[in-house]
Amino acid sequence: MVDDARYEWQPTLTTLIRCPLVDANDVFVVRQLARDVAEAVGLGRQDRVRVATALSEIGRELIDAVGPAVVDFGVELDGVAPSLVVEITWETPSPDSPNAPLPTAGAAERLVERVERLDGRIVVRKRLGDFRPGDVERARAAVAAASPRGALEELRSQNQELVSALDDLQARQEDLLRLNGELEETNQGVLALYAELSQELAETNTGVVALYAELEDKTRQLREIAETRTRFWANVSHELRTPVNSVIGLARLLLDPAGDPLTEEQHRQTRLIASSGATLLTLVNELLDIAKAESGRMEPSLAPVDLVELLTHVHGVMRPMAAPGVTFRVDADGRPPAVVTDEVILTRVLRNLLSNALKFTPRGEVVLIAEHDALANRLVLTVRDTGIGITAEHASRVFEEFYQIPGPLQARAAGTGLGLPYARSLTRLLGGTLTLESTPQVGTTAVIRLPLHGTTAPTRAEHALLIDDDPAFRELFRGLTQGLVARLTEAADGTRGLALAAEDPPDVIFLDLHMPDPDGFEVLRRLATHDTLSRVPVVVVTSLDRSVLPAQAAVANILSKSDLTAERIADTLTAPRADDGNGDGDGDGDGT
């Protein structure tokens, strides 16, 4: 860089040699000395050429601009780093003399670190690497020992320097060409790899499209199979009802006291026919009801129900089924709340549950408990027994249609395997949920949760949105919501979830909290401030403790991932709410 004379420069310069600069011949001498001094202070060949060239350029301009000058070569050791310093001084003109223009730095400023133009002097600096005060005398001696060279020899030396520089340039150019060739080869390899990857990606995409098409086809086939099964059940049930009703009617005619008298044995056999026919008709009716419930053609007839009267009636009907030594009681603390539901359907559900409890309880007790969950505004009916219980292996399958648990007691009390699936379908029809917990040799507890005033919310959502970054959980959730959600949309992050919700607002949003940016908390905040989405209920599904959720967060319910079931999801669809009272975060109030 070049500095103007804005300050007085006073370095501590240790001079190595001095020479005059009067004519063109002195320029050659300055160049020679510059090369010798640079070599003596330890500069490399290229730096020596740079210093010599810079001083020769400055010297030629000085002769024409200011006349004679003096060139001092030295080193400065009191700065941050040692430097080679060349100071060129001349006598400044008097104020009356015309001011000659100072020489420009020209190429010099590109060859050395610093060129300073001061009043009556030019200072050139070049940093030194490893130079100590003790090296000064050695450098002086080396400069003094250097033999002077003529103009021709100096010209020859410059030519050699030029040839050497050209050789270096050619070598660098060859290196550059070689590197360009290698880079070209690398680029070709990258292009080939990109083409290969693009081909593989295209093939993969084709396979994915084909897989999606196959999955859609399988889904359509499964839907058709389910519809065919429902139609089959309904048709078979209708076809069976007529002959079964005829059998029961004929048996009653035979048992009518007004008819022809029967022998005792004929009377007994006829009673067995009537009893078996009634049992068969009950099973056929259950089968038909399940078909209707699954197809959506069964509608509950809602009306106020006297719960005490209903429980008393169920107790009276089911009490004869209790084994000797088994206590069967109804526990309804206080006056049960008024409930609006379908009395016939609720009675069927309770009879199914009590029938199972009484059949598989050889000793102990069976109790039917009615309670009011004031926080959730729900009726809770619990059937608890001290029977043989169910192992965990079978407990996960008891709601499968036609599934029967193997065992000696089950063999003696054989059934169709439709009781619990039938009870759950009817409970959902009433807007409620049915859950079951059991321990072998301890007993079983079945819990019905019903809204007090009819179905306060649909048990089947038309459109739900799941926002969760875990693909394994999304697959699990997809399976749990089959039959509960008509259409499930999924998003792997909050940004995509918000976009999907804005494009097609769902009936309910299931949201994970622990996600990459933006996390579930930010998604909640954005939903709450949205004009349309703020009215969509949000159910938080998370493995985090519910205490991390801000108290003011607008959520309809909180479900725990650790024990998520289809029943709990159905419960949130039945009565979405923030479970602030029990602190378990699963919306069931059972502490699980």
Side-chain angles (χ1 to χ4, degrees):
M1 62 181 293
V2 179
D3 290 343
D4 293 331
R6 303 285 175 85
Y7 58 90
E8 184 65 24
W9 178 71
Q10 294 180 344
T12 304
L13 181 65
T14 301
T15 304
L16 298 179
I17 193 170
R18 170 180 288 186
C19 74
L21 180 61
V22 178
D23 54 25
N25 186 61
D26 291 336
V27 174
F28 285 102
V29 175
V30 169
R31 183 181 180 91
Q32 291 177 19
L33 284 175
R35 190 185 301 108
D36 295 339
V37 171
E39 182 179 3
V41 297
L43 291 177
R45 183 178 64 85
Q46 292 186 358
D47 286 335
R48 296 198 295 268
V49 173
R50 288 190 179 96
V51 172
T53 303
L55 291 176
S56 65
E57 289 289 327
I58 294 174
R60 276 194 292 270
E61 293 189 13
L62 275 176
I63 291 173
D64 297 333
V66 300
V70 177
V71 183
D72 288 305
F73 294 87
V75 291
E76 182 179 335
L77 303 175
D78 57 352
V80 176
S83 300
L84 169 64
V85 179
V86 181
E87 180 180 350
I88 305 173
T89 58
W90 62 90
E91 291 186 5
T92 58
S94 65
D96 299 331
S97 303
N99 291 328
L102 289 176
T104 60
E109 66 181 39
R110 299 193 299 272
L111 297 173
V112 293
E113 280 83 4
R114 191 179 182 92
V115 178
E116 299 172 343
R117 296 197 310 165
L118 305 170
D119 188 15
R121 72 182 70 182
I122 292 178
V123 180
V124 177
R125 295 174 181 275
K126 178 69 177 177
R127 285 193 299 271
L128 300 178
D130 185 15
F131 192 87
R132 297 180 176 84
D135 297 329
V136 172
E137 293 303 325
R138 176 187 57 75
R140 276 201 188 104
V143 173
S147 57
R149 295 177 291 277
L152 185 60
E153 185 176 357
E154 178 61 24
L155 184 60
R156 186 181 299 113
S157 175
Q158 291 183 27
N159 289 337
Q160 290 177 353
E161 292 174 354
L162 179 60
V163 170
S164 178
L166 291 174
D167 289 341
D168 289 344
L169 181 62
Q170 183 176 0
R172 292 185 181 184
Q173 187 174 6
E174 291 175 354
D175 289 342
L176 182 60
L177 291 173
R178 178 179 56 79
L179 292 174
N180 284 338
E182 293 177 357
L183 181 60
E184 182 66 24
E185 293 178 0
T186 302
N187 287 340
Q188 292 177 357
V190 170
L191 291 175
L193 179 60
Y194 176 77
E196 182 180 350
L197 291 176
S198 297
Q199 179 65 27
E200 291 181 1
L201 182 60
E203 294 175 357
T204 302
N205 287 340
T206 303
V208 169
V209 171
L211 179 60
Y212 270 115
E214 183 179 353
L215 289 175
E216 289 180 359
D217 186 57
K218 295 294 183 184
T219 301
R220 179 185 55 79
Q221 293 179 13
L222 289 174
R223 189 181 301 112
E224 291 176 355
I225 291 173
E227 292 174 355
T228 302
R229 183 190 64 177
T230 301
R231 287 196 301 270
F232 171 76
W233 283 6
N235 292 336
V236 168
S237 300
H238 280 295
E239 294 300 324
L240 288 176
R241 266 182 167 178
T242 300
V244 169
N245 282 324
S246 298
V247 170
I248 295 174
L250 292 173
R252 288 174 178 170
L253 284 176
L254 291 174
L255 294 173
D256 190 347
D260 295 335
L262 300 175
T263 66
E264 183 177 349
E265 180 62 21
Q266 289 174 334
H267 198 277
R268 185 183 68 83
Q269 292 177 0
T270 305
R271 284 201 309 271
L272 289 175
I273 293 173
S275 176
S276 298
T279 301
L280 182 58
L281 181 60
T282 300
L283 294 177
V284 170
N285 287 335
E286 289 180 357
L287 194 63
L288 184 59
D289 286 345
I290 291 178
K292 286 182 178 179
E294 288 193 349
S295 64
R297 295 195 301 269
M298 187 176 185
E299 294 291 339
S301 178
L302 303 180
V305 174
D306 187 333
L307 195 60
V308 173
E309 181 179 340
L310 185 147
L311 296 178
T312 303
H313 170 73
V314 171
H315 179 264
V317 171
M318 303 303 298
R319 184 169 51 188
M321 291 186 59
V326 175
T327 301
F328 174 39
R329 61 186 177 87
V330 174
D331 185 0
D333 291 336
R335 180 71 181 176
V339 58
V340 177
T341 189
D342 189 311
E343 183 175 357
V344 175
I345 293 178
L346 179 56
T347 301
R348 290 180 185 176
V349 174
L350 291 176
R351 289 182 63 174
N352 265 279
L353 297 179
L354 290 170
S355 175
N356 279 339
L358 292 169
K359 280 193 297 185
F360 301 116
T361 303
R363 65 184 62 86
E365 71 170 359
V366 174
V367 57
L368 171 59
I369 305 172
E371 298 174 300
H372 178 209
D373 183 353
L375 181 64
N377 195 30
R378 293 183 295 186
L379 172 66
V380 181
L381 298 170
T382 304
V383 176
R384 186 172 62 235
D385 64 61
T386 58
I388 61 175
I390 307 171
T391 63
E393 174 188 0
H394 299 294
S396 60
R397 302 189 59 187
V398 293
F399 288 106
E400 295 180 12
E401 293 160 357
F402 304 110
Y403 180 78
Q404 298 186 57
I405 301 172
L409 188 55
Q410 286 87 345
R412 292 197 300 271
T416 61
L418 288 174
L420 286 176
Y422 175 64
R424 170 173 282 183
S425 296
L426 295 182
T427 303
R428 287 178 175 172
L429 193 64
L430 296 177
T433 61
L434 171 60
T435 59
L436 185 141
E437 295 180 358
S438 187
T439 304
Q441 307 308 320
V442 175
T444 302
T445 300
V447 180
I448 303 169
R449 295 180 175 86
L450 293 174
L452 288 179
H453 305 293
T455 52
T456 57
T459 59
R460 175 181 170 90
E462 289 300 319
H463 178 205
L465 170 63
L466 171 63
I467 307 176
D468 195 297
D469 64 325
D470 185 356
F473 178 76
R474 293 200 302 272
E475 183 174 351
L476 169 64
F477 192 86
R478 200 179 307 134
L480 292 175
T481 54
Q482 285 186 354
L484 297 178
V485 175
R487 178 164 60 96
L488 177 65
T489 306
E490 300 176 21
D493 57 73
T495 301
R496 179 61 177 161
L498 289 167
L500 289 175
E503 293 172 4
D504 184 10
D507 299 320
V508 61
I509 297 176
F510 293 89
L511 173 66
D512 182 28
L513 292 178
H514 187 61
M515 294 188 298
D517 187 42
D519 59 14
F521 300 99
E522 176 62 18
V523 173
L524 278 174
R525 188 189 67 79
R526 296 185 189 180
L527 289 173
T529 57
H530 195 278
D531 292 340
T532 303
L533 300 179
S534 61
R535 295 188 291 272
V536 177
V538 179
V539 178
V540 170
V541 187
T542 181
S543 55
L544 299 176
D545 187 271
R546 76 181 306 277
S547 61
V548 303
L549 193 66
Q552 68 273 21
V555 298
N557 213 321
I558 306 172
L559 295 178
S560 172
K561 281 188 175 182
S562 61
D563 53 3
L564 188 65
T565 62
E567 292 72 39
R568 290 192 167 93
I569 296 174
D571 196 19
T572 63
L573 296 176
T574 302
R577 62 186 178 86
D579 194 359
D580 295 332
N582 53 33
D584 61 2
D586 62 4
D588 288 331
D590 54 7
T592 55

